Amino acid sequence: MMTKMMAGSLGLEEPWYIGGVEFDEKELALHIYVGIRKGAEIACPVCGAQTKRNGYEPRERVWRHGDVMFYPCLVHCRRPKVLCLNCGSVQVNAPFERKNSRFTLLFEGYAMLILADMPIAKAAALLRCDEKSLVKIMRYWVNKAVDGMDLRDVAMLAIDETSFKRGHKYVTLIIDAAKRRVLDVEEGRDAETLKLFAEKLSARGGSPEKITAVTSDMSKSFLPAIAKYFPKAENIIDKFHVKKVLIDALDEVRKAEQKSVADKKGLFRGRRLFMIPKAKLTAEQSAALTEMSKRYPKTGRAYRIVAGLDDFYASRAMDEAEKGFASLYSWMRRCRLKPMKEAAETLMRHKDKILAYFKNRITNAICEGISSMIQAAKRKARGFRNFEGYASMIYLIAGKLQLAVPRPF
Ligand SMILES: [Zn+2]
């Protein structure tokens, strides 16, 4: 019965069979020996013609399989060769293997499940294998799924930039806004990354012409590239990026005020309070904030402007939003806080693209909810030293991939 169970997990069918199972008490590992019946008729792996076995590969190979009773399990096999009239001598692969992998398919399937849920170092410890091997497994299955992505229906994109290796290298993420999944992870943050994605889009059934809306930040490299490569798309500046401009200005105001006041520590300690949106403040925080605003009037003023941006985004229709934008802009210009005045000019330069957010529900929907998903993926990908591993992890977490690897359950 145990043999049957093992054969099942390895996908073995006649003429393959399990010739022996051994528990090594020294190394605490289980060894399974797989053979193929003598005289078995085997189809040629290349052309499918019926052939006969023609010897074996010179040396036995070993694959790591899923643990048995918590003991690591290793599968041994000398795979046969066949002599085909069309193809000559051909090496036959075992049913449980993927070419060039030292792990069985089911082990890889289990590894993919584990990887989606925990940091790679933890996954490696749990699976008792090295991180490098796990990255290889992940890259293989992720790349296969990414290459097979059907991009026919993609019409709305969100473009986000991030970095890996602690701010050294930039990475561009391209997201399907309707399905909320990452479609592409490119190294760099320039026009070239969008060009490459436009090409991938065409290669996988979609079309740059079908893209109706794109959200992005205000980056000088993205904006012209969006117009160039997605000519029919409405370009919307992402709400979160607009907010970031104001939050950064607020932080500059706070830092300057901190230098000029006697109680520097009070402001430094309370700085996070100014980052909480008005609507999310508890009664206690709200009272503390009022107090802080009295003690640090410049930071308090900057905070009220940021809250004003939230009010602007609560506009229900375009005319309301246009009025809101105008009054926010004039408020910022007159506020006597240099960073805020500069932020006002940044907003004005991108006025149309910021207001595009209010055109319809579709453009609105692009901005919502994606950010948190991307943050989760980025957190998970952190710690990868090379770009490929980093990108694979983002795809795995946020790509909603159709993985072809067999799942153990
Ligand atoms: Zn053949």
Side-chain angles (χ1 to χ4, degrees):
M1 214 138 71
M2 286 296 268
T3 320
K4 236 184 187 173
M5 176 188 89
M6 287 170 186
S9 79
L10 290 168
L12 298 182
E13 279 172 17
E14 284 293 335
W16 298 89
Y17 69 99
I18 291 182
V21 181
E22 254 173 37
F23 179 64
D24 187 320
E25 287 180 57
K26 263 193 197 153
E27 54 173 345
L28 296 175
L30 195 78
H31 297 269
I32 301 177
Y33 297 88
V34 171
I36 191 159
R37 306 235 184 257
K38 279 183 185 146
E41 294 210 335
I42 310 168
C44 165
V46 179
C47 72
Q50 277 304 309
T51 59
K52 277 268 162 68
R53 186 168 54 74
N54 179 39
Y56 295 90
E57 61 187 331
R59 246 181 290 151
E60 176 193 86
R61 287 179 181 250
V62 182
W63 291 262
R64 171 75 190 280
H65 192 39
D67 295 356
V68 176
M69 312 256 175
F70 303 106
Y71 293 112
C73 175
L74 297 155
V75 180
H76 301 247
C77 180
R78 256 177 91 185
R79 300 164 305 170
K81 288 180 173 184
V82 291
L83 192 62
C84 172
L85 289 175
N86 310 318
C87 315
S89 178
V90 184
Q91 174 73 61
V92 176
N93 293 325
F96 50 80
E97 67 162 324
R98 165 173 76 77
K99 214 181 163 207
N100 298 326
S101 173
R102 302 281 67 137
F103 299 88
T104 63
L105 283 170
L106 216 54
F107 181 95
E108 296 200 342
Y110 185 53
M112 293 301 284
L113 281 178
I114 299 281
L115 277 168
D117 269 333
M118 65 179 72
I120 185 144
K122 220 173 164 186
L126 193 70
L127 293 163
R128 284 177 278 192
C129 70
D130 60 300
E131 288 184 30
K132 240 185 183 170
S133 303
L134 280 184
V135 171
K136 265 192 203 161
I137 291 172
M138 181 170 71
R139 279 185 61 187
Y140 175 81
W141 293 106
V142 164
N143 285 348
K144 198 175 153 99
V146 169
D147 289 345
M149 269 185 185
D150 181 354
L151 303 185
R152 233 177 314 175
D153 301 330
V154 178
M156 299 187 297
L157 300 175
I159 295 168
D160 191 26
E161 71 171 59
T162 178
S163 61
F164 90 110
K165 278 191 182 174
R166 292 239 162 251
H168 287 304
K169 294 202 171 158
Y170 288 99
V171 173
T172 301
L173 305 180
I174 294 164
I175 297 135
D176 179 342
K179 292 193 175 148
R180 296 180 193 284
R181 59 171 188 157
V182 171
L183 301 178
D184 198 15
V185 184
E186 295 282 352
E187 229 171 337
R189 55 162 176 183
D190 48 23
E192 184 67 17
T193 59
L194 298 194
K195 180 176 174 243
L196 287 173
F197 175 69
E199 285 165 10
K200 284 182 187 173
L201 190 58
S202 303
R204 293 174 196 161
S207 158
E209 300 274 321
K210 281 205 293 198
I211 302 300
T212 55
V214 180
T215 73
S216 68
D217 61 11
M218 296 170 209
S219 146
K220 281 185 190 115
S221 43
F222 284 147
L223 297 180
I226 289 169
K228 183 174 174 189
Y229 296 114
F230 307 103
K232 300 202 171 130
E234 174 97 70
N235 190 180
I236 308 127
I237 304 290
D238 191 286
K239 186 172 154 179
F240 299 99
H241 289 111
V242 176
K243 179 121 186 200
K244 191 172 180 298
V245 170
L246 264 66
I247 290 279
D248 288 349
L250 162 70
D251 214 37
E252 268 188 60
V253 171
R254 194 261 309 162
K255 278 179 191 158
E257 188 163 37
Q258 210 169 284
K259 276 182 198 158
S260 67
V261 291
D263 183 11
K264 293 175 174 44
K265 277 193 182 150
L267 183 51
F268 183 73
R269 263 188 258 118
R271 70 193 188 282
R272 293 190 197 287
L273 210 52
F274 290 102
M275 299 294 170
I276 307 170
K278 204 166 77 180
K280 286 189 179 162
L281 287 169
T282 64
E284 235 172 52
Q285 286 171 330
S286 184
L289 194 70
T290 311
E291 178 56 32
M292 289 282 282
S293 299
K294 272 182 206 153
R295 269 164 67 198
Y296 308 102
K298 287 181 178 169
T299 309
R301 213 149 74 225
Y303 177 80
R304 285 193 292 281
I305 291 173
V306 176
L309 182 76
D310 292 340
D311 295 341
F312 157 70
Y313 270 110
S315 304
R316 283 165 186 217
M318 185 55 102
D319 54 345
E320 192 187 333
E322 277 171 346
K323 275 181 210 151
F325 187 93
S327 69
L328 184 69
Y329 173 71
S330 87
W331 182 12
M332 288 169 78
R333 286 204 52 185
R334 289 181 289 104
C335 71
R336 287 172 287 124
L337 302 166
K338 194 168 168 257
M340 275 298 169
K341 281 164 89 173
E342 283 166 7
E345 295 317 318
T346 305
L347 297 199
M348 186 46 97
R349 267 201 304 282
H350 300 290
K351 184 185 167 191
D352 293 343
K353 291 186 173 71
I354 292 171
L355 284 169
Y357 173 80
F358 298 94
K359 281 207 174 146
N360 53 49
R361 281 175 195 282
I362 295 168
T363 56
N364 219 305
I366 301 183
C367 302
E368 313 291 348
I370 289 175
S371 182
S372 60
M373 177 192 87
I374 296 304
Q375 291 307 324
K378 286 197 285 207
R379 265 199 304 280
K380 197 77 211 307
R382 221 179 274 158
F384 281 90
R385 280 175 288 275
N386 68 17
F387 173 74
E388 281 74 21
Y390 179 90
S392 296
M393 187 46 94
I394 291 193
Y395 282 125
L396 183 63
I397 299 296
K400 297 188 180 168
L401 301 175
Q402 304 279 323
L403 294 171
V405 65
R407 292 188 150 225
F409 42 79

